[in-house]
Amino acid sequence: MKDKILITGGCGFIGHHFVEHLIKSTDWDILILDNLTYASEGFDRLRDIQVYTDQRVTILSADFTRPITKGVSQELGSLDYIVHMGAETHVDNSIKDPEPFIMSNFVGTFHMLEFARTQKNLKKFLYFSTDEVFGPAPENVNYKENDRYDSTNPYSASKAGGEELTLAWGNTY
């Protein structure tokens, strides 16, 4: 039986490249959960890489700042992997209006982690963050994964919060 992967934010810039990679390098069934905000440009990126009508790709529009509904859960079915890329992006946007960043990047991550707990056969949950959580890097400094956070804006703070939730859920559940 083929593996089945859920990618949140699969219509976004990084997400659609990841979908394209999986189409070319696996035989997996790919499910995309995207809220289709400004960051996704709708389905255009998936059309550009010619996967919008691919039979291995299923696209659902849902807002994970709210709990995953029973209907969406039923459509997703049993998953092997969840790659949580969906997020509000752009530092300047977070400074103008931080609430959507807290809701998507922190509360939304919580909802995805809780959904992951319902998946009996889940092999892995991957959370995509940002180097912004470490703040500005001095010249010739490369941060390591466990370096101290130094968030300098609401975007990076919300992503750091999502990282901490993911670590806590991994350690607890």
Side-chain angles (χ1 to χ4, degrees), residues 62-107:
D63 181 0
F64 55 78
T65 66
R66 304 180 59 76
I68 301 300
T69 65
K70 186 176 181 179
V72 170
S73 180
Q74 183 176 334
E75 289 300 316
L76 294 172
S78 179
L79 301 167
D80 298 290
Y81 302 96
I82 296 175
V83 176
H84 182 42
M85 293 185 183
E88 291 293 321
T89 62
H90 305 314
V91 169
D92 290 346
N93 291 347
S94 79
I95 293 168
K96 289 177 193 159
D97 187 10
E99 185 175 4
F101 290 77
I102 302 305
M103 293 304 298
S104 181
N105 303 349
F106 188 75
V107 175

Side-chain angles (χ1 to χ4, degrees), residues 16 25 51 59 68 71 83 87 101 121 126 128 151 153 156 166 170:
H16 90 280
S25 62
V51 300
I59 307 162
I68 301 300
V83 176
F101 290 77
N121 299 314
L126 296 173
F128 269 60
S151 300
N153 54 69
S156 58
T166 302

Side-chain angles (χ1 to χ4, degrees), residues 5-34:
I5 186 170
L6 170 64
I7 303 165
T8 67
C11 296
F13 179 74
I14 295 171
H16 90 280
H17 285 297
F18 186 60
V19 169
E20 183 177 34
H21 170 74
L22 291 174
I23 285 288
K24 290 177 179 178
S25 62
T26 74
D27 67 346
W28 296 359
D29 289 326
I30 302 165
L31 295 105
I32 297 170
L33 186 65
D34 202 298

Side-chain angles (χ1 to χ4, degrees), residues 145-173:
E145 185 175 356
N146 292 317
D147 283 348
R148 183 185 180 285
Y149 295 139
D150 188 20
S151 300
T152 59
N153 54 69
Y155 166 66
S156 58
S158 68
K159 293 301 281 183
E163 282 189 27
E164 287 297 311
L165 284 178
T166 302
L167 287 170
W169 261 241
N171 289 328
T172 303
Y173 305 107

